[in-house]
């Protein structure tokens, strides 16, 4: 596996592959790989002849006071893992390579970016959409794989690709979890041993909430959200709920009545670690 740091070189490589008729799969990441990332890389290998994994801790999607400087990094280990899981190239630009000092073009995906993480992290999805669009132009993928753990991000990218006629197939990958149910995340590295023991309650709460809909036919979003909030207060003392919200899975608009198209999304601080997770009411996983 080759590591490429320059955008122009990456683009030339992908143009050459395209001229040979090869299909390119892209997996955008911020590194510090866990099995979730590796599953996405393997999925890209099934969809494409050549797999590019980008590793870029994108400063424009972090707000002031967020964990940009502290974000866990281990690019050497990531390169080994990416290669083992079928990546052909790891694209590792630095910030100066991605953003000229007078960079001034931004992509705003209105509506879908408004609620949930968009409300808690102003500017976050503008940074995400802009960097993903840049990665699409640099890597010229036929398909790109994103995790369903970041459900709103996936919705934002799907909307951007549709609205801007970008010829990239967007593929969502199911959430990869630890054996105890905790959604894998690079940020789980911040959790203390005590917090690690508590963190699985994030998902068990979501499953409990879905059972209210499935088994007790409860369809009031407010009621389901209140029951989930109470569950977290009981099982995750000291945590701070950022949001627990029933939204339409495509538009990410809050709903009053839940149905099979609903996604229940949560963001919760356990100590200093912000965990996100979600569950789809119409799916079993
Ligand atoms: P990140 O490095 O956190 O920006 O994530 C890179 C990609 O991996 C994104 O598309 C994420 O949604 C995806 N991802 C992260 N964690 C998981 C997980 N536990 N399961 C599935 N996909 C994930």
């Amino acid at each position: 596996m080759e590591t490429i740091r320059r955008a122009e070189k990456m683009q030339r490589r992908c143009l050459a592959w395209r001229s040979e008729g090869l299909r390119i799969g892209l997996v955008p990441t911020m590194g510090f790989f866990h099995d979730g990332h590796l599953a996405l890389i393997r999925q890209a290998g099934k969809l494409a002849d050549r797999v590019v994994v980008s590793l870029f801790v994108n400063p424009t999607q972090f707000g002031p006071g967020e964990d940009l400087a502290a974000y866990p990094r281990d690019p050497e280990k990531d390169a080994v893992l990416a290669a083992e899981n079928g990546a052909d190239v790891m694209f590792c630009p630095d910030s100066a390579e991605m953003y000229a000092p007078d960079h001034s073009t931004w992509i705003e995906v209105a509506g879908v970016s408004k609620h949930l993480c968009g409300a808690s992290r102003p500017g976050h999805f503008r940074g995400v959409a802009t960097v993903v669009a840049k990665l699409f132009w640099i890597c010229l993928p036929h398909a790109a794989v994103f995790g369903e753990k970041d459900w709103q991000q996936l919705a934002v990218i799907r909307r951007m690709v549709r609205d801007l006629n970008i010829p990239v197939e967007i593929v969502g990958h199911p959430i990869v979890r630890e054996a105890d149910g905790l959604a894998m995340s690079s940020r789980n590295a911040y959790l203390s041993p005590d917090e690690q023991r508590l963190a699985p309650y994030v998902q068990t709460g979501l499953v409990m909430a879905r059972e209210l809909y499935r088994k007790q036919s409860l369809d009031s979003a407010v009621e389901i959200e209140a029951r989930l909030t109470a569950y977290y207060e009981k099982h995750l003392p000291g945590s701070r709920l950022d949001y627990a919200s029933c939204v339409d899975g495509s538009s990410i608009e809050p709903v009053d009545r839940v149905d099979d198209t609903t996604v229940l999304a949560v963001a919760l601080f356990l100590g200093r670690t912000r965990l996100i997770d979600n569950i789809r009411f119409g799916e079993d996983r």
Side-chain angles (χ1 to χ4, degrees), residues 27-37 39-40 61 71 145-151 153 173-177 182-187:
V27 183
T29 81
M30 299 205 302
F32 209 70
F33 292 160
H34 49 66
D35 283 350
H37 294 109
L40 268 56
Q61 69 190 70
Y71 197 83
V145 186
F146 294 85
E148 291 177 354
K149 187 186 72 120
D150 300 270
W151 184 270
Q153 168 173 283
H173 190 286
I175 302 175
V176 178
R177 298 182 181 280
L182 174 64
M184 290 189 183
S185 166
S186 305
R187 288 190 169 100

mmCIF file of all heavy atoms in Angstrom, residues 27-37 39-40 61 71 145-151 153 173-177 182-187, ligand 1:
data_model
loop_
_atom_site.group_PDB
_atom_site.id
_atom_site.type_symbol
_atom_site.label_atom_id
_atom_site.label_comp_id
_atom_site.label_asym_id
_atom_site.label_seq_id
_atom_site.Cartn_x
_atom_site.Cartn_y
_atom_site.Cartn_z
ATOM 1 N N VAL A 27 -12.948 5.612 1.234
ATOM 2 C CA VAL A 27 -13.409 5.610 2.626
ATOM 3 C C VAL A 27 -12.784 6.812 3.328
ATOM 4 O O VAL A 27 -11.601 6.780 3.680
ATOM 5 C CB VAL A 27 -13.005 4.301 3.359
ATOM 6 C CG1 VAL A 27 -13.561 4.308 4.783
ATOM 7 C CG2 VAL A 27 -13.490 3.072 2.600
ATOM 8 N N PRO A 28 -13.559 7.879 3.527
ATOM 9 C CA PRO A 28 -13.019 9.045 4.249
ATOM 10 C C PRO A 28 -12.973 8.776 5.756
ATOM 11 O O PRO A 28 -13.963 8.294 6.321
ATOM 12 C CB PRO A 28 -14.016 10.177 3.945
ATOM 13 C CG PRO A 28 -14.846 9.694 2.797
ATOM 14 C CD PRO A 28 -14.876 8.195 2.949
ATOM 15 N N THR A 29 -11.857 9.071 6.390
ATOM 16 C CA THR A 29 -11.727 8.854 7.837
ATOM 17 C C THR A 29 -10.875 9.949 8.476
ATOM 18 O O THR A 29 -10.172 10.681 7.786
ATOM 19 C CB THR A 29 -11.029 7.518 8.192
ATOM 20 O OG1 THR A 29 -9.604 7.681 8.069
ATOM 21 C CG2 THR A 29 -11.473 6.371 7.301
ATOM 22 N N MET A 30 -10.944 9.967 9.813
ATOM 23 C CA MET A 30 -10.025 10.818 10.584
ATOM 24 C C MET A 30 -9.003 9.963 11.335
ATOM 25 O O MET A 30 -8.316 10.439 12.228
ATOM 26 C CB MET A 30 -10.804 11.697 11.561
ATOM 27 C CG MET A 30 -11.786 12.627 10.821
ATOM 28 S SD MET A 30 -12.216 14.118 11.719
ATOM 29 C CE MET A 30 -12.905 13.445 13.213
ATOM 30 N N GLY A 31 -8.917 8.681 10.978
ATOM 31 C CA GLY A 31 -7.857 7.840 11.520
ATOM 32 C C GLY A 31 -8.146 7.274 12.898
ATOM 33 O O GLY A 31 -9.260 7.311 13.394
ATOM 34 N N PHE A 32 -7.088 6.700 13.517
ATOM 35 C CA PHE A 32 -7.147 5.976 14.787
ATOM 36 C C PHE A 32 -8.157 4.837 14.639
ATOM 37 O O PHE A 32 -9.169 4.760 15.332
ATOM 38 C CB PHE A 32 -7.508 6.903 15.953
ATOM 39 C CG PHE A 32 -6.928 6.424 17.258
ATOM 40 C CD1 PHE A 32 -5.562 6.478 17.473
ATOM 41 C CD2 PHE A 32 -7.735 5.897 18.256
ATOM 42 C CE1 PHE A 32 -5.004 6.027 18.671
ATOM 43 C CE2 PHE A 32 -7.190 5.423 19.443
ATOM 44 C CZ PHE A 32 -5.829 5.500 19.647
ATOM 45 N N PHE A 33 -7.808 3.930 13.736
ATOM 46 C CA PHE A 33 -8.764 2.933 13.265
ATOM 47 C C PHE A 33 -9.186 1.930 14.328
ATOM 48 O O PHE A 33 -8.392 1.476 15.140
ATOM 49 C CB PHE A 33 -8.171 2.149 12.082
ATOM 50 C CG PHE A 33 -7.995 2.988 10.840
ATOM 51 C CD1 PHE A 33 -7.121 2.584 9.836
ATOM 52 C CD2 PHE A 33 -8.687 4.180 10.663
ATOM 53 C CE1 PHE A 33 -6.950 3.344 8.692
ATOM 54 C CE2 PHE A 33 -8.530 4.946 9.526
ATOM 55 C CZ PHE A 33 -7.646 4.520 8.536
ATOM 56 N N HIS A 34 -10.462 1.602 14.258
ATOM 57 C CA HIS A 34 -11.035 0.491 15.018
ATOM 58 C C HIS A 34 -11.742 -0.403 14.004
ATOM 59 O O HIS A 34 -11.723 -0.117 12.790
ATOM 60 C CB HIS A 34 -11.990 1.016 16.100
ATOM 61 C CG HIS A 34 -12.990 2.019 15.596
ATOM 62 N ND1 HIS A 34 -13.976 1.691 14.700
ATOM 63 C CD2 HIS A 34 -13.137 3.352 15.833
ATOM 64 C CE1 HIS A 34 -14.703 2.751 14.424
ATOM 65 N NE2 HIS A 34 -14.210 3.789 15.090
ATOM 66 N N ASP A 35 -12.419 -1.427 14.499
ATOM 67 C CA ASP A 35 -13.024 -2.387 13.563
ATOM 68 C C ASP A 35 -14.121 -1.769 12.696
ATOM 69 O O ASP A 35 -14.428 -2.308 11.632
ATOM 70 C CB ASP A 35 -13.585 -3.597 14.329
ATOM 71 C CG ASP A 35 -12.477 -4.549 14.762
ATOM 72 O OD1 ASP A 35 -11.326 -4.366 14.298
ATOM 73 O OD2 ASP A 35 -12.757 -5.455 15.563
ATOM 74 N N GLY A 36 -14.717 -0.672 13.153
ATOM 75 C CA GLY A 36 -15.718 0.014 12.325
ATOM 76 C C GLY A 36 -15.089 0.537 11.043
ATOM 77 O O GLY A 36 -15.581 0.313 9.933
ATOM 78 N N HIS A 37 -13.967 1.241 11.199
ATOM 79 C CA HIS A 37 -13.254 1.740 10.011
ATOM 80 C C HIS A 37 -12.865 0.582 9.086
ATOM 81 O O HIS A 37 -13.003 0.669 7.866
ATOM 82 C CB HIS A 37 -11.964 2.463 10.418
ATOM 83 C CG HIS A 37 -12.160 3.726 11.200
ATOM 84 N ND1 HIS A 37 -11.858 3.819 12.532
ATOM 85 C CD2 HIS A 37 -12.606 4.943 10.824
ATOM 86 C CE1 HIS A 37 -12.102 5.051 12.951
ATOM 87 N NE2 HIS A 37 -12.564 5.763 11.941
ATOM 88 N N ALA A 39 -14.144 -2.345 8.727
ATOM 89 C CA ALA A 39 -15.295 -2.926 8.017
ATOM 90 C C ALA A 39 -15.656 -2.069 6.798
ATOM 91 O O ALA A 39 -16.008 -2.597 5.733
ATOM 92 C CB ALA A 39 -16.492 -3.033 8.972
ATOM 93 N N LEU A 40 -15.565 -0.755 6.949
ATOM 94 C CA LEU A 40 -15.849 0.141 5.812
ATOM 95 C C LEU A 40 -14.826 -0.079 4.689
ATOM 96 O O LEU A 40 -15.173 -0.070 3.501
ATOM 97 C CB LEU A 40 -15.807 1.603 6.257
ATOM 98 C CG LEU A 40 -17.114 2.259 6.705
ATOM 99 C CD1 LEU A 40 -17.807 1.524 7.831
ATOM 100 C CD2 LEU A 40 -16.902 3.726 7.060
ATOM 101 N N GLN A 61 -14.216 20.988 10.691
ATOM 102 C CA GLN A 61 -15.431 20.409 11.268
ATOM 103 C C GLN A 61 -15.394 20.390 12.790
ATOM 104 O O GLN A 61 -16.304 19.867 13.426
ATOM 105 C CB GLN A 61 -15.707 19.015 10.709
ATOM 106 C CG GLN A 61 -14.728 17.938 11.135
ATOM 107 C CD GLN A 61 -14.946 16.652 10.345
ATOM 108 O OE1 GLN A 61 -14.670 16.576 9.155
ATOM 109 N NE2 GLN A 61 -15.453 15.622 11.015
ATOM 110 N N TYR A 71 -7.397 15.023 19.486
ATOM 111 C CA TYR A 71 -7.986 13.895 18.755
ATOM 112 C C TYR A 71 -6.946 12.787 18.605
ATOM 113 O O TYR A 71 -5.806 13.043 18.195
ATOM 114 C CB TYR A 71 -8.497 14.356 17.379
ATOM 115 C CG TYR A 71 -9.459 13.352 16.784
ATOM 116 C CD1 TYR A 71 -10.801 13.344 17.152
ATOM 117 C CD2 TYR A 71 -9.014 12.386 15.886
ATOM 118 C CE1 TYR A 71 -11.679 12.399 16.647
ATOM 119 C CE2 TYR A 71 -9.885 11.436 15.371
ATOM 120 C CZ TYR A 71 -11.217 11.453 15.757
ATOM 121 O OH TYR A 71 -12.076 10.502 15.266
ATOM 122 N N VAL A 145 -17.888 4.925 1.012
ATOM 123 C CA VAL A 145 -18.551 4.218 2.103
ATOM 124 C C VAL A 145 -18.486 5.068 3.377
ATOM 125 O O VAL A 145 -17.411 5.554 3.751
ATOM 126 C CB VAL A 145 -17.893 2.845 2.361
ATOM 127 C CG1 VAL A 145 -18.696 2.058 3.399
ATOM 128 C CG2 VAL A 145 -17.772 2.048 1.068
ATOM 129 N N PHE A 146 -19.659 5.223 4.018
ATOM 130 C CA PHE A 146 -19.765 5.982 5.264
ATOM 131 C C PHE A 146 -20.502 5.128 6.291
ATOM 132 O O PHE A 146 -21.365 4.324 5.934
ATOM 133 C CB PHE A 146 -20.554 7.276 5.046
ATOM 134 C CG PHE A 146 -19.860 8.265 4.151
ATOM 135 C CD1 PHE A 146 -19.984 8.171 2.771
ATOM 136 C CD2 PHE A 146 -19.069 9.279 4.680
ATOM 137 C CE1 PHE A 146 -19.337 9.073 1.936
ATOM 138 C CE2 PHE A 146 -18.423 10.184 3.857
ATOM 139 C CZ PHE A 146 -18.554 10.077 2.477
ATOM 140 N N GLY A 147 -20.192 5.340 7.572
ATOM 141 C CA GLY A 147 -20.820 4.550 8.627
ATOM 142 C C GLY A 147 -22.155 5.124 9.061
ATOM 143 O O GLY A 147 -22.328 6.344 9.133
ATOM 144 N N GLU A 148 -23.075 4.227 9.395
ATOM 145 C CA GLU A 148 -24.384 4.661 9.876
ATOM 146 C C GLU A 148 -24.317 5.171 11.311
ATOM 147 O O GLU A 148 -25.287 5.734 11.815
ATOM 148 C CB GLU A 148 -25.395 3.503 9.767
ATOM 149 C CG GLU A 148 -25.728 3.177 8.321
ATOM 150 C CD GLU A 148 -26.659 1.994 8.165
ATOM 151 O OE1 GLU A 148 -26.975 1.327 9.180
ATOM 152 O OE2 GLU A 148 -27.063 1.723 7.016
ATOM 153 N N LYS A 149 -23.180 4.972 11.977
ATOM 154 C CA LYS A 149 -23.061 5.544 13.328
ATOM 155 C C LYS A 149 -23.260 7.056 13.271
ATOM 156 O O LYS A 149 -23.900 7.647 14.120
ATOM 157 C CB LYS A 149 -21.708 5.230 13.945
ATOM 158 C CG LYS A 149 -21.653 5.681 15.404
ATOM 159 C CD LYS A 149 -20.282 5.516 15.976
ATOM 160 C CE LYS A 149 -19.350 6.527 15.410
ATOM 161 N NZ LYS A 149 -18.744 7.429 16.376
ATOM 162 N N ASP A 150 -22.680 7.666 12.230
ATOM 163 C CA ASP A 150 -22.848 9.105 12.014
ATOM 164 C C ASP A 150 -24.029 9.284 11.048
ATOM 165 O O ASP A 150 -23.857 9.683 9.897
ATOM 166 C CB ASP A 150 -21.558 9.694 11.450
ATOM 167 C CG ASP A 150 -20.392 9.481 12.399
ATOM 168 O OD1 ASP A 150 -20.157 10.330 13.253
ATOM 169 O OD2 ASP A 150 -19.729 8.422 12.307
ATOM 170 N N TRP A 151 -25.228 8.954 11.541
ATOM 171 C CA TRP A 151 -26.396 8.896 10.657
ATOM 172 C C TRP A 151 -26.666 10.232 9.982
ATOM 173 O O TRP A 151 -26.972 10.306 8.786
ATOM 174 C CB TRP A 151 -27.638 8.447 11.443
ATOM 175 C CG TRP A 151 -28.807 8.298 10.540
ATOM 176 C CD1 TRP A 151 -29.722 9.260 10.210
ATOM 177 C CD2 TRP A 151 -29.134 7.141 9.764
ATOM 178 N NE1 TRP A 151 -30.610 8.772 9.285
ATOM 179 C CE2 TRP A 151 -30.272 7.472 9.001
ATOM 180 C CE3 TRP A 151 -28.582 5.864 9.647
ATOM 181 C CZ2 TRP A 151 -30.868 6.562 8.130
ATOM 182 C CZ3 TRP A 151 -29.181 4.962 8.775
ATOM 183 C CH2 TRP A 151 -30.306 5.317 8.035
ATOM 184 N N GLN A 153 -24.568 12.651 9.395
ATOM 185 C CA GLN A 153 -23.511 12.909 8.412
ATOM 186 C C GLN A 153 -23.819 12.195 7.091
ATOM 187 O O GLN A 153 -23.690 12.768 6.003
ATOM 188 C CB GLN A 153 -22.177 12.425 8.973
ATOM 189 C CG GLN A 153 -21.043 12.375 7.961
ATOM 190 C CD GLN A 153 -19.729 12.044 8.618
ATOM 191 O OE1 GLN A 153 -19.126 12.894 9.243
ATOM 192 N NE2 GLN A 153 -19.271 10.808 8.504
ATOM 193 N N HIS A 173 -22.783 1.901 5.828
ATOM 194 C CA HIS A 173 -22.394 0.631 6.473
ATOM 195 C C HIS A 173 -22.996 0.594 7.879
ATOM 196 O O HIS A 173 -22.903 1.586 8.613
ATOM 197 C CB HIS A 173 -20.864 0.516 6.544
ATOM 198 C CG HIS A 173 -20.408 -0.850 6.977
ATOM 199 N ND1 HIS A 173 -20.513 -1.291 8.285
ATOM 200 C CD2 HIS A 173 -19.879 -1.871 6.285
ATOM 201 C CE1 HIS A 173 -20.051 -2.525 8.365
ATOM 202 N NE2 HIS A 173 -19.666 -2.907 7.173
ATOM 203 N N PRO A 174 -23.593 -0.556 8.272
ATOM 204 C CA PRO A 174 -24.183 -0.649 9.623
ATOM 205 C C PRO A 174 -23.161 -0.330 10.717
ATOM 206 O O PRO A 174 -21.951 -0.502 10.533
ATOM 207 C CB PRO A 174 -24.623 -2.109 9.709
ATOM 208 C CG PRO A 174 -24.747 -2.581 8.304
ATOM 209 C CD PRO A 174 -23.768 -1.789 7.493
ATOM 210 N N ILE A 175 -23.692 0.083 11.859
ATOM 211 C CA ILE A 175 -22.834 0.422 13.002
ATOM 212 C C ILE A 175 -22.108 -0.830 13.492
ATOM 213 O O ILE A 175 -22.732 -1.873 13.706
ATOM 214 C CB ILE A 175 -23.677 1.002 14.156
ATOM 215 C CG1 ILE A 175 -24.453 2.238 13.691
ATOM 216 C CG2 ILE A 175 -22.800 1.323 15.356
ATOM 217 C CD1 ILE A 175 -25.414 2.796 14.744
ATOM 218 N N VAL A 176 -20.806 -0.714 13.662
ATOM 219 C CA VAL A 176 -20.014 -1.817 14.218
ATOM 220 C C VAL A 176 -19.863 -1.546 15.719
ATOM 221 O O VAL A 176 -19.489 -0.438 16.127
ATOM 222 C CB VAL A 176 -18.640 -1.918 13.525
ATOM 223 C CG1 VAL A 176 -17.805 -3.029 14.155
ATOM 224 C CG2 VAL A 176 -18.829 -2.165 12.024
ATOM 225 N N ARG A 177 -20.184 -2.565 16.519
ATOM 226 C CA ARG A 177 -20.232 -2.392 17.966
ATOM 227 C C ARG A 177 -19.246 -3.306 18.679
ATOM 228 O O ARG A 177 -18.891 -4.362 18.162
ATOM 229 C CB ARG A 177 -21.653 -2.704 18.476
ATOM 230 C CG ARG A 177 -22.695 -1.772 17.916
ATOM 231 C CD ARG A 177 -24.090 -2.058 18.457
ATOM 232 N NE ARG A 177 -25.040 -1.127 17.861
ATOM 233 C CZ ARG A 177 -25.218 0.119 18.257
ATOM 234 N NH1 ARG A 177 -24.534 0.568 19.306
ATOM 235 N NH2 ARG A 177 -26.064 0.915 17.648
ATOM 236 N N LEU A 182 -21.492 -1.205 22.807
ATOM 237 C CA LEU A 182 -21.021 0.176 22.602
ATOM 238 C C LEU A 182 -20.597 0.374 21.147
ATOM 239 O O LEU A 182 -19.816 -0.420 20.600
ATOM 240 C CB LEU A 182 -19.828 0.457 23.533
ATOM 241 C CG LEU A 182 -19.134 1.811 23.348
ATOM 242 C CD1 LEU A 182 -20.080 2.969 23.687
ATOM 243 C CD2 LEU A 182 -17.873 1.882 24.204
ATOM 244 N N ALA A 183 -21.114 1.430 20.512
ATOM 245 C CA ALA A 183 -20.701 1.734 19.144
ATOM 246 C C ALA A 183 -19.219 2.099 19.137
ATOM 247 O O ALA A 183 -18.775 2.931 19.933
ATOM 248 C CB ALA A 183 -21.531 2.895 18.597
ATOM 249 N N MET A 184 -18.469 1.455 18.268
ATOM 250 C CA MET A 184 -17.033 1.759 18.212
ATOM 251 C C MET A 184 -16.819 3.198 17.761
ATOM 252 O O MET A 184 -17.547 3.716 16.920
ATOM 253 C CB MET A 184 -16.328 0.810 17.259
ATOM 254 C CG MET A 184 -16.280 -0.588 17.803
ATOM 255 S SD MET A 184 -15.224 -1.617 16.798
ATOM 256 C CE MET A 184 -15.458 -3.171 17.639
ATOM 257 N N SER A 185 -15.812 3.835 18.351
ATOM 258 C CA SER A 185 -15.485 5.216 18.004
ATOM 259 C C SER A 185 -14.044 5.476 18.412
ATOM 260 O O SER A 185 -13.587 4.974 19.448
ATOM 261 C CB SER A 185 -16.408 6.172 18.768
ATOM 262 O OG SER A 185 -15.903 7.493 18.704
ATOM 263 N N SER A 186 -13.345 6.267 17.624
ATOM 264 C CA SER A 186 -11.978 6.647 18.012
ATOM 265 C C SER A 186 -12.001 7.359 19.357
ATOM 266 O O SER A 186 -11.074 7.242 20.156
ATOM 267 C CB SER A 186 -11.368 7.574 16.955
ATOM 268 O OG SER A 186 -11.440 6.962 15.685
ATOM 269 N N ARG A 187 -13.096 8.096 19.613
ATOM 270 C CA ARG A 187 -13.185 8.860 20.872
ATOM 271 C C ARG A 187 -13.389 7.961 22.089
ATOM 272 O O ARG A 187 -13.237 8.432 23.220
ATOM 273 C CB ARG A 187 -14.306 9.896 20.780
ATOM 274 C CG ARG A 187 -13.968 11.059 19.852
ATOM 275 C CD ARG A 187 -14.987 12.188 19.975
ATOM 276 N NE ARG A 187 -14.541 13.388 19.291
ATOM 277 C CZ ARG A 187 -14.950 13.772 18.073
ATOM 278 N NH1 ARG A 187 -15.807 13.036 17.400
ATOM 279 N NH2 ARG A 187 -14.489 14.887 17.528
HETATM 280 P P1 LIG B 1 -14.210 8.978 11.621
HETATM 281 O O1 LIG B 1 -12.792 8.537 11.475
HETATM 282 O O2 LIG B 1 -14.724 8.912 13.032
HETATM 283 O O3 LIG B 1 -14.488 10.293 10.939
HETATM 284 O O4 LIG B 1 -15.088 7.916 10.847
HETATM 285 C C1 LIG B 1 -14.804 7.583 9.528
HETATM 286 C C2 LIG B 1 -15.948 6.777 8.980
HETATM 287 O O5 LIG B 1 -16.104 5.611 9.761
HETATM 288 C C3 LIG B 1 -17.291 7.526 9.018
HETATM 289 O O6 LIG B 1 -18.022 7.229 7.849
HETATM 290 C C4 LIG B 1 -17.940 6.946 10.239
HETATM 291 O O7 LIG B 1 -19.351 6.995 10.190
HETATM 292 C C5 LIG B 1 -17.452 5.524 10.183
HETATM 293 N N1 LIG B 1 -17.535 4.889 11.497
HETATM 294 C C6 LIG B 1 -16.995 5.325 12.658
HETATM 295 N N2 LIG B 1 -17.319 4.495 13.667
HETATM 296 C C7 LIG B 1 -18.097 3.522 13.137
HETATM 297 C C8 LIG B 1 -18.763 2.370 13.666
HETATM 298 N N3 LIG B 1 -18.695 2.048 14.958
HETATM 299 N N4 LIG B 1 -19.464 1.615 12.818
HETATM 300 C C9 LIG B 1 -19.551 1.916 11.490
HETATM 301 N N5 LIG B 1 -18.948 2.980 10.940
HETATM 302 C C10 LIG B 1 -18.230 3.770 11.750
#
